[in-house]
Amino acid sequence: MEKVRFAVVGVYSIAKRHIEGIHNNKQAELIAVCDIVEEYAKKCAEANGLDKYYLDYDQMLADGGFDCVVICTPDQVHAEQAVKALNAGYHVLCEKPLAMK
């Protein structure tokens, strides 16, 4: 079985648990990280052995190379980011809540 390749967006808080889960699963691999705060994105990429990080979510989706996007951003952007990833053909795991009224 091939590994499921993951990209994580919003790497400041709860993403650490998601990334830990990816690393603990032999059938999963972290491919990309993205955050609008460069300090967070760069630090996360370096800590996880990634050569590249993203500050632009749309660019990350366009570059691809992964199967699933894990959304760990503030809840007010969850729905928009999930729809973009789904429309681009990716699977999505979204930290709760998906959207607020």
Side-chain angles (χ1 to χ4, degrees), residues 9 33-42 52-60:
V9 59
V33 295
C34 178
D35 200 292
I36 61 172
V37 179
E38 185 168 17
E39 175 186 356
Y40 300 158
K42 182 178 181 182
K52 185 176 181 179
Y53 59 88
Y54 291 90
L55 303 177
D56 184 302
Y57 181 65
D58 293 328
Q59 186 63 55
M60 184 185 79

Side-chain angles (χ1 to χ4, degrees), residues 5-10 31-35 52-71 77-93:
R5 300 164 299 160
F6 288 89
V8 177
V9 59
I31 297 295
V33 295
C34 178
D35 200 292
K52 185 176 181 179
Y53 59 88
Y54 291 90
L55 303 177
D56 184 302
Y57 181 65
D58 293 328
Q59 186 63 55
M60 184 185 79
L61 293 178
D63 286 356
F66 46 86
D67 307 300
C68 182
V69 177
V70 181
I71 299 173
V77 294
H78 284 179
E80 176 186 350
Q81 289 177 332
V83 169
K84 281 184 177 184
L86 291 166
N87 285 338
Y90 300 108
H91 298 281
V92 172
L93 294 174

